[in-house]
Amino acid sequence: KFLFIFILGSILLTGCRQENDIMTQTDNKNIVFKLYDTVFQNETSQRSNSIETSGFDHLEFYIMDYTGKPVEGIKSTYNPLTKEIIAEGLQQGEYTLLVLGIKGDASNDRATISKLNSTDDVWICFPEEMDKPLTSEYFYAKAPFNVSMEETVAGDKETVTMEHDVIMTRIVGRMDVACEFNNPYVENASFGSKLRLSNAAFYTSFKANGEYKGTTTGKLKEIDLDNNWSFYFLPSVDQTEETDGGEVIIRTRTYRNETIQRTFSFRQIPVTANRITKVNLQIAHPEDSRGTLFVTEKAYNANENGLILQDNEPPSVYTDPNQRSFSALEPLQLSITDDNRF
């Protein structure tokens, strides 16, 4: 455990952060709590585990006494510019700082945030009939600290000690779906793909002491995979084993404008707070071995291709071999057969 000391006095001192500790000191007998983010526990990243937070769209916090009740008669505020919580008026004793942060709009998830009277209270809850992934990220920190008097050469000083930084950890997990196609033309011809999670029950409530409770009905709507392949959920109620029922439905169209649908099943891995659950699927498709290059608009845009031989394109461009690798005097001629082939 590391020791974090906040000295309260009349002299303004600067803050500094080293590898494993932090010391912040401020005047006017204010206590300053700097907030830090954390990466997903199993995320592959070059970043350190805790980094200065990028801020929150909504933040609530409480300072609780040793009995688990909110402290009254003090002044406290959150500065969104410096990402700091500032408290004034704390007496000697044992305390706990509780913080709930949200990135996004919690109303889109129909979340309800309650006033705390005790650390045993539910702080945030979601509907039992939650039938889709969360749209926001939810963070939580619990930081015990002690306020005491310390003898110094200049006299008694009020000192605050903490065991660790105020690190905001996600109370939700993320599910990433990754589909590896054998044929890039098949991949770019996909549309309307869906994710099905059967019998996936998630917690619905989070208490101020860090515990989860409640359960969803387990009935989720099909999840659209066309524009997003990562999804946030509260942790799974059953953390002990994988379950059947996960499916990814891949729909593709052919150059004849026919639709092919294939379903790929997988074992559902429990979603865990602040961890990434990965679903990796190898997509086998009947069009994989065909020699047809079906260039869809999606495939064209993926390569960031530009337009050539436009009406406003000057000869200095289309006759420049460094910009155009064909002879403008002998352009390539193409024709299309009755069955839509070149």
Side-chain angles (χ1 to χ4, degrees):
K1 293 182 178 179
F2 301 103
L3 185 64
F4 303 88
I5 303 178
F6 299 76
I7 300 180
L8 285 65
S10 59
I11 302 176
L12 175 63
L13 299 175
T14 60
C16 62
R17 177 171 173 81
Q18 299 176 347
E19 291 184 0
N20 292 312
D21 58 10
I22 182 172
M23 180 178 290
T24 304
Q25 300 151 323
T26 180
D27 62 353
N28 298 326
K29 294 189 176 182
N30 291 341
I31 303 175
V32 180
F33 302 95
K34 186 75 172 180
L35 304 186
Y36 293 90
D37 277 350
T38 183
V39 299
F40 284 98
Q41 189 175 347
N42 59 336
E43 181 179 9
T44 302
S45 173
Q46 298 300 319
R47 300 181 298 172
S48 61
N49 288 335
S50 61
I51 57 176
E52 186 171 342
T53 180
S54 58
F56 300 92
D57 296 297
H58 183 84
L59 185 135
E60 299 206 0
F61 67 93
Y62 286 82
I63 296 177
M64 316 297 275
D65 62 21
Y66 73 96
T67 67
K69 305 294 183 182
V71 178
E72 298 180 352
I74 64 172
K75 296 180 180 179
S76 58
T77 186
Y78 170 64
N79 187 334
L81 297 178
T82 61
K83 287 80 176 180
E84 294 172 337
I85 292 173
I86 303 171
E88 178 184 356
L90 286 170
Q91 304 300 313
Q92 296 184 69
E94 300 286 338
Y95 301 95
T96 299
L97 173 65
L98 301 176
V99 189
L100 177 68
I102 303 171
K103 294 183 179 181
D105 186 351
S107 64
N108 292 333
D109 298 326
R110 295 181 290 166
T112 300
I113 300 174
S114 302
K115 180 180 178 181
L116 295 182
N117 296 307
S118 165
T119 52
D120 289 329
D121 291 344
V122 170
W123 201 350
I124 186 170
C125 64
F126 302 83
E128 292 182 359
E129 65 275 11
M130 177 70 73
D131 57 3
K132 62 181 181 178
L134 300 171
T135 62
S136 301
E137 286 187 274
Y138 298 84
F139 294 76
Y140 167 80
K142 179 180 180 181
F145 64 96
N146 173 269
V147 179
S148 61
M149 298 299 296
E150 183 178 278
E151 293 183 4
T152 68
V153 176
D156 290 345
K157 295 289 184 180
E158 198 170 25
T159 303
V160 177
T161 58
M162 298 185 71
E163 296 180 352
H164 52 72
D165 289 331
V166 183
I167 299 176
M168 301 294 290
T169 303
R170 292 172 186 82
I171 63 173
V172 298
R174 194 179 84 193
M175 177 180 291
D176 288 358
V177 180
C179 294
E180 184 174 347
F181 288 78
N182 299 321
N183 187 322
Y185 295 97
V186 172
E187 179 177 6
N188 287 319
S190 64
F191 72 98
S193 298
K194 302 289 184 180
L195 169 66
R196 289 177 184 162
L197 299 175
S198 302
N199 303 317
F202 304 99
Y203 287 110
T204 57
S205 302
F206 182 79
K207 299 174 67 175
N209 60 11
E211 297 177 357
Y212 295 89
K213 62 177 298 185
T215 180
T216 61
T217 60
K219 297 178 181 179
L220 287 172
K221 294 180 179 178
E222 288 187 340
I223 301 170
D224 185 5
L225 292 177
D226 275 350
N227 300 313
N228 187 23
W229 295 78
S230 294
F231 309 96
Y232 295 110
F233 297 96
L234 283 167
S236 302
V237 174
D238 187 356
Q239 292 284 321
T240 60
E241 61 180 16
E242 300 177 7
T243 58
D244 293 322
E247 293 181 335
V248 169
I249 299 94
I250 300 293
R251 296 185 181 93
T252 59
R253 64 186 180 94
T254 70
Y255 71 95
R256 295 174 179 271
N257 206 30
E258 299 170 341
T259 298
I260 298 176
Q261 177 173 309
R262 303 211 69 198
T263 300
F264 300 86
S265 301
F266 62 91
R267 299 274 289 173
Q268 294 177 177
I269 305 172
V271 175
T272 305
N274 205 46
R275 292 183 66 87
I276 299 174
T277 299
K278 296 184 178 181
V279 177
N280 298 310
L281 296 173
Q282 187 72 37
I283 305 302
H285 195 276
E287 296 282 307
D288 284 345
S289 58
R290 291 185 181 273
T292 304
L293 305 182
F294 180 33
V295 183
T296 61
E297 181 179 356
K298 182 178 177 181
Y300 182 85
N301 293 332
N303 291 325
E304 298 182 355
N305 298 305
L307 300 176
I308 65 172
L309 298 178
Q310 299 300 290
D311 291 340
N312 61 348
E313 185 173 284
S316 60
V317 173
Y318 65 74
T319 60
D320 183 355
N322 293 321
Q323 299 185 61
R324 301 290 181 259
S325 59
F326 61 87
S327 172
L329 299 177
E330 298 179 359
L332 178 65
Q333 300 296 316
L334 297 176
S335 61
I336 301 177
T337 65
D338 293 337
D339 61 349
N340 296 322
R341 294 175 181 265
F342 283 122

